[in-house]
Amino acid sequence: MKKTIIQLTPIPPYDFALVAAYATYFQGRYAADHFQDRVYRRLLEIRGRLCLVKVRSIGSVDAPSLEMTLKCNVLSEKIVSEARIKVAHLLGTEQELEPFYRMVLKDPVLNPIVKNLRGLHIPQTLSLWEGLVLAILGQQVSSHVARIMRNGLVERYGLALKESGETYRIFPRPEALVEAGLEELYAIKLSKRKARYIFDIAAALASQERDLDSLRSLPDEEVVRKLMEIRGVGPWTAHWILIRGLGRPDAFPHGDLALRRTMGHLFNNESIFEPEEALNYSYRWSPFRSYVTTYLFAAIRSMAASEKVSPNVHI
DNA sequence: GGCCAGGTTCGCT
DNA sequence: AGCGAACATGGC
């Protein structure tokens, strides 16, 4: 294994520990992401080779700097530069938070919550395929059940590399699921419905019948429209992908139950918002609604992780 | 045991 | 258009 070290400079403010914790749902390991002992690790497939990246902070929130260690059988210049791009994407290092923070100053309820999470950028899925699968696995079920399915998928179908006693896995390729077959997906706790959705998407991608990357150049509404043509993708999933897969700043999954509850708690005298009410209320945060969504979820998630209680009514 | 969870589809009026 | 049911698992 060859090894090289390079440096990344995120746009400040950037709280590496918070971003990495969010990427792993404050659980240390989540799907293909690891964050333990202040080090973020992920196995990537770059130009057909398995490469392990480790990232740690060597700066501060206001003067951020990341040290990335890349281990790979072969280390060409192209591999190094692709790894850099992928990691910058995964960890959202290029996102600008200041305009969002200026907007939030005008919201006395949101402002303290956001201040408390200063430097949180939005982690991105490596591919739209990954975003689509993770989102579908998260539909309707509790976050706990979603985690079991997401981890199970990666453990079962992701190519692995062992390093100092730990096993790392890439997020499974569509081909891996197609090869395994539809029935195999039931074994990792997917409902027949979810297995069908994901298997069909995998098959369409593997056969090149569908191309998700063409969505990257389209405006938000077009992306949503195209994504919802896919069976298994509704409005919630499409907006989740805008936020976590495409890095769009102004998406808002207004049907989301946890979001409706949290917003109702904060802005509606404790009582849950109806989806339309949540949407109407959200326009005041445009064009930064993806950040509002992410910060509200981060507030819920970090409390759930630290307090070990159901976060339904907290914040 | 029954109800619910960071939804979506399908089949009814 | 709008509404209800089915979906399947783990936790309380």
Side-chain angles (χ1 to χ4, degrees), chain A residues 27-161:
Chain A
Q27 316 247 0
R29 195 180 80 72
Y30 199 96
D33 294 304
H34 300 245
F35 181 53
Q36 279 139 357
D37 302 321
R38 314 194 72 73
V39 181
Y40 171 85
R41 295 167 216 258
R42 174 148 174 162
L43 186 65
L44 305 175
E45 186 180 19
I46 305 175
R47 303 175 93 78
R49 303 181 184 281
L50 297 184
C51 302
L52 182 64
V53 295
K54 303 182 195 178
V55 183
R56 67 187 186 98
S57 171
I58 53 171
S60 63
V61 171
D62 289 296
S65 185
L66 305 180
E67 180 195 83
M68 164 176 147
T69 306
L70 177 63
K71 280 191 188 172
C72 211
N73 279 332
V74 177
L75 271 182
S76 66
E77 208 170 292
K78 282 185 174 173
I79 287 178
V80 174
S81 92
E82 272 189 43
R84 169 196 288 278
I85 290 167
K86 286 182 196 292
V87 169
H89 177 76
L90 282 166
L91 297 177
T93 62
E94 302 302 300
Q95 294 161 12
E96 293 262 14
L97 298 179
E98 291 296 0
F100 165 57
Y101 290 164
R102 283 197 291 277
M103 183 276 287
V104 165
L105 285 177
K106 290 180 279 188
D107 191 318
V109 177
L110 216 46
N111 196 39
I113 296 169
V114 169
K115 264 194 175 155
N116 202 31
L117 296 163
R118 195 173 107 87
L120 172 62
H121 292 225
I122 305 177
Q124 298 290 302
T125 62
L126 205 44
S127 64
L128 292 180
W129 151 250
E130 178 179 341
L132 211 36
V133 172
L134 293 180
I136 289 172
L137 294 185
Q139 286 170 359
Q140 205 271 339
V141 294
S142 64
S143 52
H144 176 76
V145 173
R147 185 168 70 94
I148 291 171
M149 290 189 281
R150 288 164 172 172
N151 285 345
L153 183 85
V154 170
E155 264 163 39
R156 185 143 180 156
Y157 301 109
L159 292 177
L161 181 78

Side-chain angles (χ1 to χ4, degrees), chain A residues 260-274 277:
Chain A
R260 287 167 46 209
R261 272 204 194 118
T262 306
M263 286 178 64
H265 174 70
L266 294 173
F267 308 110
N268 195 35
N269 194 25
E270 312 273 323
S271 77
I272 188 168
F273 264 140
E274 290 308 306
E277 294 178 308

Side-chain angles (χ1 to χ4, degrees), chain A residues 132 136 139 192-194 196-201 210 226-234 237:
Chain A
L132 211 36
I136 289 172
Q139 286 170 359
K192 288 181 182 167
R193 196 115 106 186
K194 281 191 165 85
R196 166 56 67 188
Y197 296 156
I198 288 171
F199 184 82
D200 285 350
I201 293 167
R210 189 181 285 287
K226 290 264 190 193
L227 282 174
M228 284 179 56
E229 288 171 4
I230 302 171
R231 212 163 147 249
V233 178
T237 304

Side-chain angles (χ1 to χ4, degrees), chain A residues 92 94-97 100-101 103-104 114 120-122 243 247-251 287-297:
Chain A
E94 302 302 300
Q95 294 161 12
E96 293 262 14
L97 298 179
F100 165 57
Y101 290 164
M103 183 276 287
V104 165
V114 169
L120 172 62
H121 292 225
I122 305 177
I243 297 172
R248 302 293 171 93
D250 197 33
F288 304 106
R289 290 180 292 169
S290 296
Y291 290 96
V292 175
T293 306
T294 301
Y295 276 65
L296 288 179
F297 284 150

